[in-house]
Amino acid sequence: MTETAERLNNQAILLAKDGSYTEAIACFARAILIDKTNALLWFNLALTYRDAGNLTHAKAILMKAKELAPEDTDIIKELALLMFSLGDFDSSLNICAEGLCLNPEDYNLWNTRGVNFFNKGIYDEACESFENAVYLNPYYADALFNLRDTYVKIGNKIGENECSMRLRELNHHGEKK
């Protein structure tokens, strides 16, 4: 059987899923030797490094994936989250802005933008970001939770109570399923 980038990618994903990160990374490296310009291979390799706890390598590899596919919003979202995890809120915000220019209705990016502003203590921008995320996806519990916390910080009791009520409703509907 011929070794192809696709087969190696699939094998690496299974290895990573089982926690065999070293073996998965080796598979991705072989796949990339076969197809150096495949952004998906670079993206999956970055996720594996991230899951293995090596955020610095994950960042460098995601940057390569983004270079290969600059308008891929999955890569942009992951890079924004990774920069946040590394504590680089300004870079994460810049990446969110770039992604939102490509897709202004991406509620995940609005939420990530809000989390960055919240952590910088810029609650009005955080609030606006979370409100956009919830407007775009009213069932997005993470954004509702974050919006509620932001309302607590700015003293908006009505907003806080509304978010709490909606979160309870979401939890109640989730229990029925």
Side-chain angles (χ1 to χ4, degrees):
M1 192 184 293
T2 306
E3 199 170 69
T4 66
E6 183 180 0
R7 282 192 185 126
L8 288 166
N9 180 60
N10 293 339
Q11 182 181 357
I13 289 169
L14 292 173
L15 288 165
K17 194 181 283 189
D18 288 340
S20 301
Y21 300 120
T22 304
E23 294 84 354
I25 289 167
C27 270
F28 283 126
R30 284 200 323 269
I32 288 169
L33 284 174
I34 295 168
D35 189 357
K36 291 174 181 54
T37 61
N38 186 330
L40 179 62
L41 295 174
W42 290 93
F43 178 73
N44 288 339
L45 176 59
L47 295 182
T48 304
Y49 271 111
R50 179 206 63 198
D51 293 347
N54 192 333
L55 301 184
T56 305
H57 267 71
K59 173 188 166 188
I61 293 163
L62 270 175
M63 296 295 276
K64 175 65 177 178
K66 187 175 176 294
E67 179 185 311
L68 293 169
E71 295 186 2
D72 186 317
T73 54
D74 288 334
I75 293 170
I76 290 169
K77 284 189 270 196
E78 192 57 46
L79 188 55
L81 286 170
L82 188 64
M83 297 310 282
F84 172 80
S85 295
L86 289 167
D88 189 348
F89 304 139
D90 290 332
S91 292
S92 183
L93 282 166
N94 289 335
I95 294 163
C96 285
E98 190 178 329
L100 288 167
C101 282
L102 294 169
N103 182 5
E105 295 186 3
D106 189 316
Y107 53 86
N108 289 301
L109 281 170
W110 280 111
N111 187 62
T112 301
R113 181 180 187 268
V115 170
N116 278 285
F117 278 123
F118 187 92
N119 278 276
K120 289 175 65 96
I122 306 172
Y123 301 118
D124 56 335
E125 290 288 337
C127 189
E128 178 189 337
S129 297
F130 296 135
E131 286 171 347
N132 279 325
V134 170
Y135 171 77
L136 292 166
N137 182 353
Y139 304 101
Y140 190 13
D142 286 349
L144 270 170
F145 182 85
N146 292 334
L147 181 57
R148 182 188 64 192
D149 285 355
T150 307
Y151 285 152
V152 168
K153 285 285 188 186
I154 63 175
N156 181 341
K157 286 286 190 195
I158 294 170
E160 175 188 347
N161 291 335
E162 176 69 21
C163 288
S164 293
M165 183 184 73
R166 289 180 65 193
L167 283 166
R168 280 192 300 275
E169 287 173 4
L170 286 177
N171 285 335
H172 179 69
H173 288 298
E175 291 170 4
K176 287 185 173 181
K177 291 181 179 178

